[in-house]
Amino acid sequence: MSLNENKKLKMDDNYYKCLRHLQEIDFVLLELSLYLDTHPNDQNALAQLNQYHQIRQRVYREYESCYGPLYQFGRSSSKYPWEWIETPWPWQV
């Protein structure tokens, strides 16, 4: 797959499930972070944030083990050869 390919790719159902799950978890983490900005002593909210962080790490590792790097610029590791250019671009799925 090259950078210039604009065709729509169809990935397996687990690909979309993992991406959707990561988006949902990221939303929860963002909302909890914003809440904790104004309620820093809420231990329950902090526990939820840490719980969802752990869940996100697990889903993130699952995604990358199946489909390759999710992030660029050193935020994801890569097998040899460089995998980033081999995974679908967001507009291709």
Side-chain angles (χ1 to χ4, degrees):
M1 174 181 5
S2 72
L3 184 61
N4 294 325
E5 291 183 27
N6 288 322
K7 65 181 177 181
K8 191 86 161 167
L9 300 177
K10 178 66 176 156
M11 303 299 289
D12 64 38
D13 289 339
N14 191 55
Y15 174 86
Y16 297 103
K17 181 181 173 187
C18 281
L19 276 183
R20 175 71 183 243
H21 197 189
L22 283 169
Q23 290 172 335
E24 291 167 350
I25 294 167
D26 284 345
F27 176 80
V28 171
L29 288 169
L30 175 62
E31 290 297 313
L32 284 168
S33 295
L34 292 172
Y35 175 81
L36 284 164
D37 283 346
T38 58
H39 300 80
N41 297 320
D42 188 331
Q43 290 180 337
N44 289 330
L46 185 55
Q48 285 182 332
L49 180 93
N50 290 331
Q51 175 187 7
Y52 277 93
H53 171 75
Q54 293 299 317
I55 294 168
R56 190 190 190 290
Q57 293 298 97
R58 181 182 49 78
V59 175
Y60 173 76
R61 284 190 302 270
E62 176 187 336
Y63 175 92
E64 288 202 330
S65 71
C66 293
Y67 305 106
L70 184 60
Y71 296 110
Q72 173 71 284
F73 308 117
R75 292 183 59 202
S76 291
S77 60
S78 179
K79 297 175 193 157
Y80 182 83
W82 177 241
E83 291 179 299
W84 179 254
I85 60 172
E86 298 303 323
T87 59
W89 301 95
W91 56 87
Q92 292 178 309
V93 294

